[in-house]
Amino acid sequence: AFSTFSIAQTAVLTETFNSLTAGGNTTSSGAGSPDGTDIYAGGTAAALPNFPTGSKGYSGGGMLKLGTGSVVGTTNSKAINLSTDSGNVKIVLDVKGWTVTPATFDINLLDSSGAVYATKTVNYTAVMSGNTEKVTATFTGGKANSTVQIVTNAAAYRLYIDNIVITTEPNLGTIDYTEAAKAVSNTLWTNTASFNVKEKSTVEVYNMNGQLVKSFEVNGVQNVNVSSLTKGTYVVKTTTN
């Protein structure tokens, strides 16, 4: 049997940068290099309604490149509500740098007046010639009408970003498991997991080491075969799409 408990996660904003088709993200020159037009200075920023403002942002073949060789780059999300789930915010994105490694960039949370009320410095090692790496930043005290700002720094001016997912989720120490478990009809699984959700949702199953071991989508009342999971205790996250 499998013991489980669920976490009701709230999806706030996602961005894949699929509209930024020009340029590349693997070399500094030639066909693999990013486009040279700053999308935030008369370029194609209108194609990014989720991140409509910033500076020194460039199309990079389905990614957003921030910064130049001598000037930092920024991108700012539209106003979003980060106060749900007691303001526990999680930001996940794929990144890679230019050629400097290891490197850092900052994620800032801005209030409705534009003032920074929280910041996290994120470390990464991936460079443009290779694959991206997934990084995560978590915050507490999220506010309504917030803006998420991603900023490069003088130590590593240039950064590629992609696949941004911003969520809020209950704190494991204070979560109401009775309420959160409503999406999962049976919390003791044998070979089948039963779900009852109001809208189409993505389900992620994590082992107790925090590793994602299974993911799938459910809609309404639905049973899912989980016989491939080994016996143990799992955390189940449901995110409404």
Side-chain angles (χ1 to χ4, degrees):
F2 311 92
S3 281
T4 68
F5 59 90
S6 65
I7 299 174
Q9 189 181 50
T10 303
V12 179
L13 183 147
T14 61
E15 178 58 60
T16 62
F17 300 108
N18 286 341
S19 63
L20 300 182
T21 57
N25 54 59
T26 57
T27 62
S28 60
S29 62
S33 64
D35 187 69
T37 301
D38 183 353
I39 66 170
Y40 294 124
T44 56
L48 288 180
N50 287 336
F51 286 86
T53 63
S55 63
K56 302 301 178 185
Y58 304 88
S59 176
M63 303 182 73
L64 175 62
K65 178 218 166 193
L66 295 175
T68 70
S70 59
V71 182
V72 300
T74 66
T75 185
N76 305 308
S77 77
K78 64 182 181 180
I80 53 179
N81 183 10
L82 298 180
S83 67
T84 54
D85 298 315
S86 301
N88 297 308
V89 181
K90 181 178 180 181
I91 301 174
V92 180
L93 66 157
D94 295 334
V95 304
K96 62 179 179 178
W98 201 248
T99 56
V100 177
T101 183
T104 64
F105 66 96
D106 292 333
I107 300 179
N108 300 322
L109 303 186
L110 284 59
D111 63 21
S112 57
S113 72
V116 175
Y117 68 87
T119 186
K120 286 289 179 71
T121 298
V122 182
N123 298 284
Y124 66 95
T125 59
V127 295
M128 64 177 171
S129 60
N131 296 324
T132 60
E133 66 179 279
K134 192 173 295 295
V135 297
T136 301
T138 57
F139 300 84
T140 58
K143 301 178 181 181
N145 295 316
S146 289
T147 298
V148 173
Q149 180 183 70
I150 299 174
V151 189
T152 65
N153 58 51
Y157 291 107
R158 292 165 287 197
L159 173 72
Y160 289 98
I161 60 175
D162 199 7
N163 298 322
I164 300 175
V165 178
I166 303 173
T167 58
T168 60
E169 53 191 68
N171 187 298
L172 286 177
T174 59
I175 185 172
D176 180 349
Y177 292 107
T178 301
E179 182 65 25
K182 288 182 178 178
V184 185
S185 300
N186 60 329
T187 56
L188 185 64
W189 297 350
T190 51
N191 293 317
T192 302
S194 299
F195 295 85
N196 185 358
V197 295
K198 294 181 180 179
E199 302 177 58
K200 185 178 180 181
S201 300
T202 298
V203 178
E204 296 177 318
V205 182
Y206 293 83
N207 63 23
M208 299 311 290
N209 293 321
Q211 298 169 315
L212 179 65
V213 293
K214 192 175 183 68
S215 64
F216 47 86
E217 290 188 341
V218 294
N219 196 354
V221 178
Q222 187 173 336
N223 294 327
V224 177
N225 188 327
V226 292
S227 59
S228 61
L229 297 176
T230 58
K231 182 177 180 180
T233 301
Y234 296 87
V235 175
V236 179
K237 288 186 178 180
T238 57
T239 303
T240 301
N241 297 330

